[in-house]
Amino acid sequence: MNTAELFDYFLKSKKVTTDTRNISKDCIFFALKGANFNGNTFAQEAINQGATLAIVDEEEYENPSNNIFLVNNTLETLQDLAREYRNYLKIPFIGLTGSNGKTTTKELISAVLKEKFKTHYTFGNLNNHIGVPLTILSIPEDTEIAVIEMGANHQKEIELLASIAQPDYGYITNFGKAHLEGFGGIEGVIKGKSELYDYLRSNNKTAIVNYNDPLQVEKTNDIKRITFSDESSTNYQIKLIESKQEFLAVSYENELIESHLTGHYNFSNISCAITLGAHFGIDPVTIKKGIEDYFPSNSRSQIIEKENHKIIMDAYNANPSSMEAALNNFVKFEGTKTVIIGDMFELGNESKIEHQRILDLAESLNFDQIFILGLNFKETITHNSKVKKFDNRTTFEEYLKDNLILTQNILVKGSHGMRLDLLNIN
């Protein structure tokens, strides 16, 4: 079965899945393979459960009379089908990537755009070579704008995802110390993320550029671009409002916009959302409503009020850049402060240096207590009595049973694999 034939089937159902637990009537099942599973073995089960087609790439499972069709590569066929549907939709696509803040920025952009347009955006963290095609194939046909998050931890991944999503507008949140092992260091991160710029340049599309970031400016000087900063020389001027409140506030076109996000590092995320909203003709009052109606969730800079504590739960993910930003932001909170930080993963040869650097920073900021969790942090050197080390979340929770945290503010940050979002703080 070729892509054109498959696309005809798709237009009738508009439903695809790669998981037999999510089969719905008349959907198309794609039998993907991984290190520990082979979707081909579930093809017949998918048909039995109501799928209209099953797409396999191992000949022994082919059965055309039962609507099980063979292709050379199931994953590539899924990606090709997404490309076909993306071209069929003929609506603006906004693509974004970056080391930190991708998901928050995606949700902020969507929160603003949906005030005026029927907007579809990446659900959760479906931002890889499988998630991006599934996101595109889930877009309702009456959608007016799509916002696609693209994640990567190796070279050429953004190149692939951009070729599938084909964004009309592209934004890179920042270039930070994330996935250093896969990218091969910070220069590899810059090169890999800039593959989005390469796509925009080659296809005469438009970059959204934070003019406060010299690297973004440098790398887009030969690309069509829409710029924002706190200076009037850019297309959109947005000002950060300095205050002692923990939530970020900005000013745009004489409108005070008070977000539910903490940290100056979210200023550019909010500014990008304002810029795209304004570019698509949304007035400042409506932009303000979109941003002020957005509440962070999923352990991304959430502020949780619990008994006598204010907990900043930022444990969805972590890398040296985001960890540094979180610590520098947390020190501005008024009152006593406890830091709970967990290991950062995928740092390769830089892991030991970066974990030590982050601990040194935490110590220099004079927090009341510092708890470090994980085997990487355990190897760091400290002579500070405020620092206590634990192998993992479980051993730390055992400690907490007999040792209450008494400070007013608590920051929780670590890589998702540490599962600090599950931490029980009394």
Side-chain angles (χ1 to χ4, degrees):
M1 174 173 283
N2 60 40
T3 303
E5 293 171 323
L6 181 57
F7 188 60
D8 287 338
Y9 276 99
F10 171 74
L11 288 180
K12 295 172 186 174
S13 71
K14 298 286 180 61
K15 294 178 288 188
V16 300
T17 186
T18 62
D19 190 337
T20 52
R21 293 170 296 184
N22 298 326
I23 294 291
S24 58
K25 191 177 185 307
D26 296 329
C27 73
I28 301 172
F29 171 71
F30 283 84
L32 301 185
K33 290 181 286 193
N36 301 309
F37 66 92
N38 183 353
N40 287 279
T41 63
F42 297 98
Q44 186 59 57
E45 180 182 336
I47 295 296
N48 293 344
Q49 291 182 19
T52 189
L53 290 179
I55 307 300
V56 298
D57 56 9
E58 292 182 5
E59 193 171 352
E60 64 183 288
Y61 298 100
E62 180 185 19
N63 186 356
S65 63
N66 207 19
N67 280 359
I68 302 176
F69 293 96
L70 180 70
V71 297
N72 288 332
N73 184 298
T74 307
L75 175 58
E76 290 178 3
T77 300
L78 175 70
Q79 294 167 344
D80 287 341
L81 181 63
R83 288 187 183 94
E84 192 83 9
Y85 188 49
R86 188 268 174 268
N87 290 322
Y88 173 85
L89 287 170
K90 293 181 173 51
I91 61 173
F93 268 56
I94 299 164
L96 67 150
T97 189
S99 299
N100 305 303
K102 291 186 296 297
T103 299
T104 299
T105 305
K106 168 203 69 183
E107 292 180 353
L108 283 165
I109 292 169
S110 304
V112 169
L113 293 178
K114 70 182 182 183
E115 291 293 325
K116 181 177 179 180
F117 303 99
K118 185 171 177 56
T119 305
H120 188 87
Y121 56 97
T122 303
F123 176 76
N125 203 31
L126 289 173
N127 63 8
N128 65 5
H129 60 297
I130 299 171
V132 167
L134 290 176
T135 296
I136 293 171
L137 291 168
S138 69
I139 298 175
E141 199 166 331
D142 61 347
T143 298
E144 296 173 292
I145 297 180
V147 185
I148 308 297
E149 178 182 336
M150 298 183 287
N153 55 22
H154 290 83
Q155 307 282 335
K156 299 297 183 182
E157 285 184 287
I158 296 300
E159 179 182 289
L160 169 66
L161 299 180
S163 78
I164 298 170
Q166 301 168 47
D168 302 285
Y169 302 87
Y171 178 60
I172 299 177
T173 58
N174 47 52
F175 303 94
K177 295 179 179 180
H179 307 295
L180 295 179
E181 184 175 22
F183 279 115
I186 187 63
E187 290 304 319
V189 171
I190 295 169
K191 182 178 178 182
K193 298 298 182 182
S194 293
E195 289 165 12
L196 177 56
Y197 290 153
D198 296 339
Y199 174 86
L200 300 173
R201 182 182 297 107
S202 298
N203 292 276
N204 197 30
K205 302 300 183 182
T206 303
I208 309 299
V209 177
N210 174 9
Y211 233 64
N212 292 324
D213 183 336
L215 193 52
Q216 289 190 37
V217 175
E218 173 195 335
K219 289 193 167 292
T220 58
N221 59 17
D222 59 347
I223 304 174
K224 285 194 304 183
R225 60 189 179 189
I226 299 168
T227 59
F228 68 82
S229 75
D230 52 6
E231 299 295 332
S232 58
S233 57
T234 51
N235 296 113
Y236 298 97
Q237 182 184 23
I238 300 119
K239 292 282 190 181
L240 176 66
I241 304 300
E242 295 287 350
S243 73
K244 292 185 177 181
Q245 295 181 348
E246 63 266 20
F247 293 124
L248 208 63
V250 305
S251 173
Y252 170 67
E253 294 289 334
N254 298 318
E255 290 292 337
L256 175 64
I257 303 174
E258 298 177 289
S259 77
H260 299 281
L261 292 162
T262 181
H264 283 190
Y265 50 85
N266 274 309
F267 173 58
S268 58
N269 302 338
I270 293 171
S271 297
C272 179
I274 293 171
T275 296
L276 279 162
H279 176 74
F280 283 104
I282 302 177
D283 65 87
V285 173
T286 306
I287 289 172
K288 170 184 169 74
K289 181 179 183 302
I291 291 173
E292 292 186 348
D293 284 351
Y294 171 72
F295 287 82
S297 59
N298 298 325
S299 301
R300 289 183 171 93
S301 298
Q302 279 182 278
I303 293 185
I304 303 168
E305 302 280 354
K306 187 175 183 181
E307 297 177 0
N308 297 320
H309 300 308
K310 180 178 291 181
I311 302 171
I312 296 83
M313 182 60 71
D314 195 7
Y316 186 83
N317 219 334
N319 57 56
S321 299
S322 66
M323 188 76 82
E324 181 178 349
L327 291 171
N328 284 324
N329 175 65
F330 186 55
V331 78
K332 299 172 185 176
F333 279 57
E334 291 189 352
T336 51
K337 306 173 192 72
T338 291
V339 170
I340 303 168
I341 51 178
D343 277 357
M344 304 171 289
F345 299 146
E346 297 185 57
L347 297 181
N349 294 333
E350 301 297 315
S351 181
K352 185 174 182 179
I353 293 172
E354 292 297 341
H355 280 87
Q356 185 65 58
R357 188 178 69 83
I358 291 299
L359 177 57
D360 292 344
L361 173 63
E363 290 179 339
S364 72
L365 295 174
N366 295 316
F367 297 117
D368 296 277
Q369 291 179 298
I370 302 172
F371 298 110
I372 55 176
L373 283 61
L375 299 181
N376 291 312
F377 267 126
K378 189 175 182 179
E379 294 181 0
T380 56
I381 298 170
T382 180
H383 302 291
N384 190 328
S385 61
K386 294 180 180 179
V387 177
K388 290 183 171 55
K389 299 182 179 182
F390 299 87
D391 287 353
N392 49 46
R393 188 188 80 245
T394 303
T395 56
F396 180 53
E397 286 180 327
E398 287 296 319
Y399 169 85
L400 290 181
K401 290 178 181 179
D402 300 315
N403 299 272
L404 296 178
I405 296 177
L406 301 177
T407 57
Q408 297 159 284
N409 305 290
I410 302 171
L411 171 67
V412 182
K413 179 126 183 106
S415 283
H416 188 64
M418 293 297 296
R419 295 315 309 265
L420 299 188
D421 56 310
L422 302 177
L423 192 59
N424 184 22
I425 301 174
N426 295 320

